[in-house]
Structures are given as structure tokens and as C-alpha cells.
Amino acid sequence: MFSEYAYFKYQNTYFTVCGNFEILAYSSMVLFSNVYYSSALSNVKEQEIIQTFESSANKIDHTITLMEQSAYNLAQHGLSLYLEHNKSHFEKAELKQN
């Protein structure tokens, strides 16, 4: 005993449910994309921070190595001047001329 009205009402309800489902599906996709890309962006930024930190750490290590080498060279020159002074009994003024 379905009349056209009941069938039409059935079709209306179906399309309303279908329209609500489309909104729910689209909202779910947007939410998933937002969470997924937010996580991916966080990972990319984390990797950039790690690379920047490692690069800075390497530059600092290199600078410290150069400073250590300079200190060692200075100590070696000081030692050689001290040994030369003790061996030949030069005066300090004479060492400055060399």
C-alpha cells in the first residue's frame, strides 16, 4: 500500500541520509588529513631541527679542535723558546729579535 507520497518520502529520507553521510565522510577525510599532515609536518620539522643541531655541533667541534691545535702549537713554541733560552743563555731581548 505504498503511495507515491510514501515512496517520495522514502526517497527524500534516503537523499537526506545520503547528504548527511557525504558531510560526515568529507569531515572525516578532512580530519584524517589534518591529523596525518600535522604529524608528517612535525616529523619534517623535527628532522630539520636535528640536522641543524648536528651541523652546529659539528661546527663547534671543528672550532674547538682548531683552538686545541693552536694551544698545542703555542705550547710547543713556548717550550722550544724555553729550551733554546736555557741552552744558549740568550737574554729575553735577544729572543724577541729572533
Side-chain angles (χ1 to χ4, degrees):
M1 183 160 187
F2 287 110
S3 66
E4 288 184 28
Y5 181 78
Y7 181 76
F8 182 76
K9 196 169 189 178
Y10 172 72
Q11 289 292 345
N12 238 358
T13 304
Y14 172 76
F15 283 115
T16 302
V17 170
C18 183
N20 288 339
F21 176 75
E22 288 173 353
I23 292 171
L24 180 65
Y26 179 74
S27 299
S28 298
M29 289 184 343
V30 168
L31 180 64
F32 174 76
S33 296
N34 190 18
V35 170
Y36 177 77
Y37 289 121
S38 176
S39 175
L41 181 62
S42 294
N43 289 340
V44 167
K45 288 296 182 183
E46 185 178 319
Q47 291 301 320
E48 286 179 357
I49 290 170
I50 289 171
Q51 289 174 350
T52 302
F53 177 77
E54 288 175 351
S55 175
S56 296
N58 288 339
K59 288 178 183 177
I60 291 170
D61 284 345
H62 180 71
T63 303
I64 289 173
T65 302
L66 291 176
M67 291 171 66
E68 288 174 346
Q69 187 63 42
S70 295
Y72 178 78
N73 289 342
L74 182 63
Q76 289 296 331
H77 288 296
L79 177 63
S80 66
L81 286 174
Y82 175 77
L83 293 174
E84 185 66 32
H85 173 71
N86 284 341
K87 189 168 42 170
S88 61
H89 301 292
F90 284 130
E91 292 296 321
K92 288 181 184 178
E94 293 174 5
L95 285 175
K96 285 181 183 178
Q97 292 174 358
N98 294 334

